[in-house]
Amino acid sequence: MKSCSHKLLFSALAFLIQCTSSYAQKQALPPQADRWLLQPDGSITWNIKDRLPHADHIEMSGEKVSLWVAYSVDSSRTCHVSRTVVFPTFRMLPDDTRSHIAYTFDDNTLPRIRINGRLLRPDVSEGNINVLAKSINQHGIMRIMEQAGDSRYVKIERAFFPSVDKPLAIEKYTFTNTSNKPVTISVEHLKREVTTDTLRSKGSPHTVIMQSINDGSRILQPGQVYTFSVCYRATDHPSSLSSVDPQFEEKARENRIAEIEAPLQLQTPDSILNTMFAFAKIRATESIFKTKGGYMHGPGGLSYYAAIWANDQAEYINPYFAISGDRIGNLSAMNAYRLFAKYMNPDYNALPSSIVAEGDTIWKGAGDRGDQAMIAYGASRYALTYGNADSAKVLWPLISWCLEYSRRHINAQGVVESQSDELEGRFPSGKANLSTNCLYYDALVSATLLSRQLQLPKQQTDLYTKQAEQLKENIEKYFGADIAGFHTYKYYETNDVLRAWICIPLTMGIYDRSKGTIDALFSSQLWTADGLATQAGKETFWDRSTLYALRGVLQAGATERAMTFLRYYSRRRLLGEHVPYPVEAYPEGNQRHLSAESGLYCRIFTEGLFGIRPTGFRSFTLSPWLPKGWDFMKLKNIKAFGRSFDITVTRKGVNETVTVTPVGGKPIQKTWAGKTPMEFKL
């Protein structure tokens, strides 16, 4: 199967590279006007001058808290902030997906601040001091720079960040006297408590406290600095609280961001792509909560915490964690698969779509969404990429169970049926959909490779090989269709309009209809200002399908077309109106920065641009697609396949030189001519 698929793959790739449709090349993307600017330290800054009013929101997470900051700057350059603090492990009854506690604090709840006796207020009235917003900076910590009064007065920096490991969020104020005279800063002492309903509180009543730290009055000489903070925390023991050290918490947050950014660094000539990749790593990795059920990665978005899903975690983010190099990310991935494995049963009833409330209950309201295919796909790719035989042995029973479940749901036409898909009925998916079947196909391919690594009986390996080959044929017969003039796929049997998820065969190595599919994806019928429309003619979009599509088009070898749209998308998400991460959907959820989508963004590069495909615990293939105009690209400090190593791609005439350099080992160098994938073994 391997040799045959490679021949098919690269005959399609050669055709794609030579035959790019003229209308797609000429397609004009909407103009973009950057609001934010890249900074040398890897952050982004909005220098506030015009184009007002403007509003946005961002989420930041730690192991015990998530902080959602909604901010706006009005036409008078006054900044207004609303803080919603979520405590994932403090929960109410009955158990369900959203039974965590969360509280919102607006500007009116803050302690009052006076400068030389005059009240510092966002509203302009007699006797008050107006505050002008100068800039906002983002890099794992949100910093707002403001000026009290005019430039001869006081500079204020506000920093918003979650604690790394406590149910605590902090808003830190730093006042700097920029005048030539002493200035008196006075901050009220504030402590407010609210305790949840005793009867509905899970475990015990939960107390949320808003409290000022280092308040009081200070006389600042010219150039002197004064810092105070407001903390937001939850506790079940309000009478025995420990003190809060904002400086320590801020440094811990900075260290955690640096820890996330250190492995798997993307280095290319494109600074926007490099920075967007680094930001996506932050959001993908920070949203992991330490629960009584173990580390659980959660999407966030004010709704999804201390819980896991078959798509967001098992399918989207966990294969990324296997190559991310993050210790907590890998703990959460293994824990997610262990949690799903608890629901395996001898009757092969479907696993739950999600396990919620720290693992205490489940949700399966949409029935079988193809969850078993999602889990088998993600777990098999994770096991191979992570490269740990003991972990793979733990995962194998779950993988093989999910594959058998899917086999038992194959219909007379030879494709897998499921009750819905990951959109859970928002859009029609028929009795059998393209997404579930492609996930199942790729899971069979990975299971073949994994079973060899585990030295399972050859009959088992051969069976998976045969099933994969047959399913690939059946996918073509059942879903292959001409839709809206494109030689592509129908999403389900009676589907007659273009759907975004026609991209998924490309990400699973099925290139039979790659040209028509790519033309359709980038046509005006599907591509919008925010990426792919879920269905042609509808305004709804979900970033996850756009992220899959960009990865798949790169895998198919249509590098320049993919890069045009990838650059556009990355610039919009990083420097545009809603920053700095990939989003979930619109209009649903108001483009929440759900965490797993950021993992999908990173996989555009690891699996798409560099073409990394795991083949064993210490082996993988590479198909790197170096864009025109680039002399090099590099993934540095990769931690996968049981080793740490770099991948460097440089241009050498019409070919590319690919160097894999293991830490402490001898570099492995090969020439890539854009044909058969290169095999590497560490």
Side-chain angles (χ1 to χ4, degrees), residues 513-670:
R513 293 172 176 262
S514 53
K515 182 182 182 299
T517 298
I518 294 170
D519 287 348
L521 292 170
F522 293 149
S523 72
S524 58
Q525 295 186 51
L526 277 181
W527 190 269
T528 73
D530 272 296
L532 291 175
T534 300
Q535 178 176 301
K538 301 290 185 180
E539 68 170 346
T540 302
F541 69 83
W542 291 70
D543 261 19
R544 56 192 64 173
S545 56
T546 299
L547 298 164
Y548 258 88
L550 291 170
R551 180 171 106 218
V553 175
L554 281 168
Q555 285 180 222
T559 310
E560 300 315 312
R561 296 183 68 185
M563 292 305 296
T564 297
F565 291 88
L566 176 58
R567 291 184 181 104
Y568 168 88
Y569 170 89
S570 301
R571 183 174 178 180
R572 184 176 182 86
R573 291 286 181 265
L574 181 66
L575 303 176
E577 297 300 289
H578 180 39
V579 304
Y581 306 121
V583 304
E584 179 207 23
Y586 180 84
E588 180 176 328
N590 193 27
Q591 299 192 56
R592 296 175 287 195
H593 287 136
L594 296 196
S595 181
E597 277 77 357
S598 283
L600 289 178
Y601 180 85
C602 294
R603 292 177 67 185
I604 293 172
F605 296 87
T606 56
E607 297 171 35
L609 191 63
F610 283 80
I612 301 172
R613 170 80 200 212
T615 57
F617 295 148
R618 296 291 180 271
S619 63
F620 55 93
T621 59
L622 282 180
S623 302
W625 304 101
L626 189 65
K628 290 180 180 177
W630 287 12
D631 293 327
F632 78 97
M633 62 184 187
K634 184 173 185 177
L635 280 175
K636 185 178 179 182
N637 199 16
I638 302 167
K639 297 184 182 300
F641 307 105
R643 295 293 297 271
S644 296
F645 61 99
D646 299 342
I647 299 174
T648 304
V649 184
T650 56
R651 194 175 302 284
K652 187 176 182 181
V654 296
N655 296 323
E656 299 165 14
T657 299
V658 180
T659 307
V660 174
T661 309
V663 172
K666 185 178 179 180
I668 308 167
Q669 192 170 91
K670 296 187 179 184

Side-chain angles (χ1 to χ4, degrees), residues 159-236:
F160 299 82
F161 54 92
S163 170
V164 169
D165 57 359
K166 302 177 185 67
L168 167 70
I170 291 173
E171 180 174 353
K172 191 185 81 170
Y173 287 72
T174 301
F175 296 88
T176 303
N177 182 359
T178 55
S179 73
N180 56 7
K181 297 179 181 179
V183 172
T184 300
I185 310 289
S186 302
V187 180
E188 290 180 333
H189 174 72
L190 175 69
K191 185 177 182 181
R192 292 177 179 166
E193 295 186 11
V194 60
T195 301
T196 57
D197 176 10
T198 301
L199 294 178
R200 291 193 56 242
S201 300
K202 187 174 181 179
S204 62
H206 313 306
T207 300
V208 175
I209 300 171
M210 176 189 187
Q211 184 176 4
S212 57
I213 300 173
N214 199 33
D215 45 60
S217 293
R218 306 285 192 282
I219 298 175
L220 298 186
Q221 298 300 323
Q224 283 191 326
V225 175
Y226 159 55
T227 298
F228 95 95
S229 301
V230 178
C231 70
Y232 310 86
R233 60 169 145 176
T235 180
D236 288 346

Side-chain angles (χ1 to χ4, degrees), residues 33 42 88 99 154 193 251 255 334 386 588 614:
S99 60
V154 175
E193 295 186 11
K251 186 62 178 176
N255 290 342
M334 286 299 297
Y386 191 49
E588 180 176 328

Side-chain angles (χ1 to χ4, degrees), residues 315 373 421-422 433-440 491 501 504:
E315 177 191 342
D421 64 358
E422 48 85 36
N433 66 76
L434 183 63
S435 178
T436 297
N437 279 273
C438 288
L439 289 167
Y440 177 42
Y491 189 60
W501 280 111
I504 200 164

Side-chain angles (χ1 to χ4, degrees), residues 347-416:
D347 295 328
Y348 286 91
N349 294 317
L351 302 181
S353 298
S354 64
I355 301 170
V356 303
E358 300 186 84
D360 283 353
T361 191
I362 63 173
W363 179 84
K364 52 195 308 184
D368 173 17
R369 309 174 307 157
D371 300 287
Q372 284 67 216
M374 298 173 189
I375 294 168
Y377 161 82
S380 55
R381 282 214 175 202
Y382 176 87
L384 287 166
T385 307
Y386 191 49
N388 184 290
D390 291 336
S391 297
K393 290 173 184 176
V394 170
L395 296 178
W396 181 255
L398 174 64
I399 294 167
S400 58
W401 188 94
C402 288
L403 292 174
E404 174 61 16
Y405 175 95
S406 296
R407 187 195 67 79
R408 292 181 179 214
H409 287 76
I410 290 177
N411 63 18
Q413 289 78 37
V415 294
V416 181

Side-chain angles (χ1 to χ4, degrees), residues 91 95-98 296 305-309 354-363:
R91 308 193 73 87
D95 279 327
D96 62 29
T97 302
R98 297 172 177 82
M296 301 176 78
Y305 302 91
I308 56 169
W309 278 258
S354 64
I355 301 170
V356 303
E358 300 186 84
D360 283 353
T361 191
I362 63 173
W363 179 84

Side-chain angles (χ1 to χ4, degrees), residues 60-67 84-90 105 160-171 207-213 229-235 241-250 252-253:
M60 298 168 277
S61 304
E63 292 182 6
K64 291 285 186 178
V65 69
S66 203
L67 174 61
T84 299
V85 189
V86 179
F87 301 102
T89 59
F90 292 79
F105 306 87
F160 299 82
F161 54 92
S163 170
V164 169
D165 57 359
K166 302 177 185 67
L168 167 70
I170 291 173
E171 180 174 353
T207 300
V208 175
I209 300 171
M210 176 189 187
Q211 184 176 4
S212 57
I213 300 173
S229 301
V230 178
C231 70
Y232 310 86
R233 60 169 145 176
T235 180
L241 286 174
S242 59
S243 60
V244 174
D245 184 343
Q247 295 292 115
F248 172 84
E249 297 294 342
E250 183 176 17
R253 173 68 174 176

